[in-house]
């Protein structure tokens, strides 16, 4: 469940990076507690912790959904009106920013799975991919087309892209109406915010209650929309307006939970309300423990790369080390440390570089080549 890539806005808000860092550690911990033979061996040392991470650690993804919506609102429409002139170019930019490190990490994951497959007989090891499966992953269509995932959490990369496009389409539609119907800017601004609110309400009370829709942005737009609304609430200059908006946000979340209790929505609501308070009291730019901020900045790369590292460490431990819970726990800790080092490299060499067609096509070709090599 990957976090959204870092943005310029986030770099000016260390508290957001710290939140991403904490949430990323929970998500990585969730995967380390679920996949491969190491957690099976190490869990007797702290069964309650492994059970909690395996069952509830995934809820941290709601933090990233709210943060992604917050940052999207700041990028696309900080005052409620679309501020970009070339929406399709912005869609490609978002796709490239998400997909370039994703393709690099996925290529590594395909090779790692092929390398450990003869040694590690475990259901966590993905099967050798086919050409159509590779293409679907590269185009972020794997879940919509029903293909098995080649790495953990790749579903969220696709959902993040869908959510961004849906938000852009909603705000862009209002911009089109503004030009065609000569709407006043203030009226268009309220119409855009109202449309996002309507989508969020529809997601919270309808789409999010149907598990079969979890391959679409409609299922997740409730949390994402809460983040967008929090950004705009923070722009309110009158205290009464801010208070009314926060009360409306609380009422929306509480009504959705009263309709059907969902822990994921409760986490998203608490995150959104906490961000609204932090923004109001100018805490988003406050200083935070630097290592945690640094972890937040590489959190997307860390999410993408930790699973193939887990496969490699699991295979080595299973083949060369003696059996024992402490050995397996050491393997999990080693996986986390090596994953951070690999994430730093992926962030420096791929994620932090500008997205362009040449780099994107090159990485797409690398994924195809790695897949064909793994299937040979």
């Amino acid at each position: 469940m990957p976090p959204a890539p870092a943005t310029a806005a986030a770099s000016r808000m260390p508290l957001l990076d710290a939140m991403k860092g904490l949430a990323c550690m929970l998500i990585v911990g969730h995967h380390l507690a679920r996949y491969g033979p190491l957690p099976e061996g190490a869990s007797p040392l702290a069964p309650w912790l492994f059970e909690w991470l395996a069952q509830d650690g995934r809820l941290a993804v709601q933090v990233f959904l709210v943060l992604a919506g917050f940052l999207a609102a700041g990028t696309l429409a900080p005052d409620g009106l679309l501020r970009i002139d070339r929406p399709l170019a912005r869609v490609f930019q978002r796709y490239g920013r998400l997909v370039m490190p994703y393709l690099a990490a996925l290529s590594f994951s395909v090779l790692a799975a092929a390398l450990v497959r003869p040694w590690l007989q475990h259901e966590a090891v993905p099967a050798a991919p086919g050409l159509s499966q590779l293409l679907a992953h590269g185009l972020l269509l794997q879940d919509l087309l029903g293909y098995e995932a080649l790495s953990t959490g790749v579903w969220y990369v696709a959902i993040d892209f869908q959510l961004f496009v849906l938000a852009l389409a909603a705000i862009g539609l209002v911009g089109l109406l503004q030009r065609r119907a000569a709407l006043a800017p203030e009226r268009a601004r309220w119409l855009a915010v109202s449309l996002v609110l309507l989508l969020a309400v529809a997601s919270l009370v309808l789409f999010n209650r149907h598990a079969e829709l979890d391959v679409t942005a409609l299922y997740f737009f409730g949390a994402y929309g809460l983040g967008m609304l929090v950004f705009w609430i923070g722009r309110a200059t009158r205290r009464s307006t801010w208070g009314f908006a926060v009360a409306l946000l609380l009422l929306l979340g509480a009504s959705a939970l009263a309709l059907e209790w969902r822990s994921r929505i409760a986490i998203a609501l608490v995150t959104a309300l906490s961000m609204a308070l932090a923004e109001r009291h100018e805490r988003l730019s406050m200083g935070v423990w630097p290592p945690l901020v640094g972890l937040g900045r590489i959190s997307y790369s860390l999410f993408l790369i930790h699973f193939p590292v887990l496969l490699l460490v699991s295979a080595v431990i299973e083949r060369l080390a003696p059996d024992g819970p402490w050995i397996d726990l050491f393997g999990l800790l080693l996986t986390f440390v090596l994953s951070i080092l690999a994430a730093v490299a992926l962030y420096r060499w791929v994620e932090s570089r500008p997205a362009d067609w040449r780099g994107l096509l090159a990485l797409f070709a690398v994924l195809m080549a790695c897949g064909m090599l793994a299937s040979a």
Side-chain angles (χ1 to χ4, degrees):
M1 306 172 185
T7 66
S11 67
R12 296 192 297 269
M13 300 178 185
L15 185 60
L16 297 188
D17 279 322
M19 292 172 64
K20 286 164 57 177
L22 286 172
C24 184
M25 285 195 294
L26 285 174
I27 292 172
V28 172
H30 168 66
H31 291 156
L32 295 185
R34 280 182 61 91
Y35 297 113
L38 297 182
E40 296 171 3
S43 60
L45 296 175
W48 61 270
L49 177 60
F50 277 86
E51 182 179 0
W52 179 79
L53 285 172
Q55 296 298 321
D56 297 326
R58 60 189 173 85
L59 293 175
V61 74
Q62 300 301 318
V63 175
F64 289 118
L65 286 167
V66 176
L67 286 172
F70 181 91
L71 295 173
T75 299
L76 295 175
D79 60 354
L81 298 176
L82 192 66
R83 73 172 187 180
I84 57 178
D85 298 326
R86 301 167 59 199
L88 290 180
R90 189 66 183 87
V91 168
F92 166 73
Q93 184 184 14
R94 183 58 174 172
Y95 174 78
R97 188 171 178 81
L98 281 169
V99 166
M100 287 185 67
Y102 162 84
L103 290 174
L106 205 56
S107 299
F108 179 50
S109 185
V110 168
L111 290 179
L115 182 62
V116 307
R117 203 170 288 122
W119 295 359
L120 192 61
Q121 304 299 321
H122 197 279
E123 60 182 7
V125 182
L131 178 60
S132 58
Q133 186 180 11
L134 292 166
L135 287 170
H137 274 76
L139 297 173
L140 303 179
L141 297 173
Q142 67 277 0
D143 293 310
L144 290 173
L145 297 178
Y147 286 105
E148 180 187 0
L150 296 175
S151 186
T152 58
V154 293
W155 65 270
Y156 184 81
V157 184
I159 290 298
D160 183 283
F161 182 64
Q162 288 184 37
L163 287 166
F164 183 85
V165 173
L166 180 57
L168 176 59
I171 300 172
L173 176 62
V174 174
L176 181 63
L177 289 175
Q178 182 186 13
R179 291 191 295 272
R180 295 287 178 86
L183 292 177
E186 190 64 23
R187 179 171 295 182
R189 181 178 298 111
W190 280 107
L191 182 59
V193 174
S194 299
L195 184 54
V196 169
L197 175 61
L198 181 62
L199 283 171
V201 170
S203 176
L204 290 172
V205 304
L206 178 61
F207 302 124
N208 188 258
R209 298 169 62 203
H210 296 277
E212 65 273 14
L213 296 177
D214 67 357
V215 298
T216 71
L218 294 174
Y219 184 88
F220 297 96
F221 197 84
Y224 194 85
L226 288 177
M228 297 183 71
L229 294 169
V230 164
F231 182 89
W232 290 324
I233 288 172
R235 310 282 285 188
T237 54
R238 294 182 179 179
R239 185 178 181 85
S240 58
T241 303
W242 181 88
F244 174 79
V246 170
L248 181 62
L249 203 69
L250 179 59
L251 178 62
L252 170 61
S255 300
L257 293 173
L259 182 64
E260 180 181 342
W261 174 264
R262 288 151 287 171
S263 298
R264 57 187 181 275
I265 300 304
I267 295 296
L269 178 62
V270 170
T271 301
L273 292 173
S274 299
M275 290 177 61
L277 291 171
E279 188 179 24
R280 183 67 179 177
H281 296 285
E282 300 182 350
R283 294 290 187 267
L284 295 182
S285 58
M286 65 182 291
V288 187
W289 190 43
L292 190 57
V293 173
L295 184 63
R297 288 175 181 166
I298 65 166
S299 57
Y300 184 53
S301 289
L302 177 58
F303 169 81
L304 292 172
I305 206 68
H306 75 274
F307 181 69
V309 175
L310 174 62
L311 290 180
L312 292 172
V313 173
S314 297
V316 171
I317 295 292
E318 282 289 290
R319 187 172 180 85
L320 302 179
D323 290 334
W326 288 104
I327 295 294
D328 291 334
L329 180 61
F330 170 77
L332 291 174
L333 295 175
L334 179 63
T335 297
F336 185 74
V337 172
L338 292 178
S339 294
I340 290 178
L341 296 177
V344 170
L346 181 61
Y347 177 83
R348 181 175 301 173
W349 295 338
V350 183
E351 185 186 349
S352 62
R353 296 180 180 274
D356 57 60
W357 279 110
R358 181 178 299 180
L360 185 60
L361 291 175
L363 286 169
F364 215 117
V366 168
L367 176 62
M368 296 297 110
C370 290
M372 295 301 98
L373 181 62
S375 301

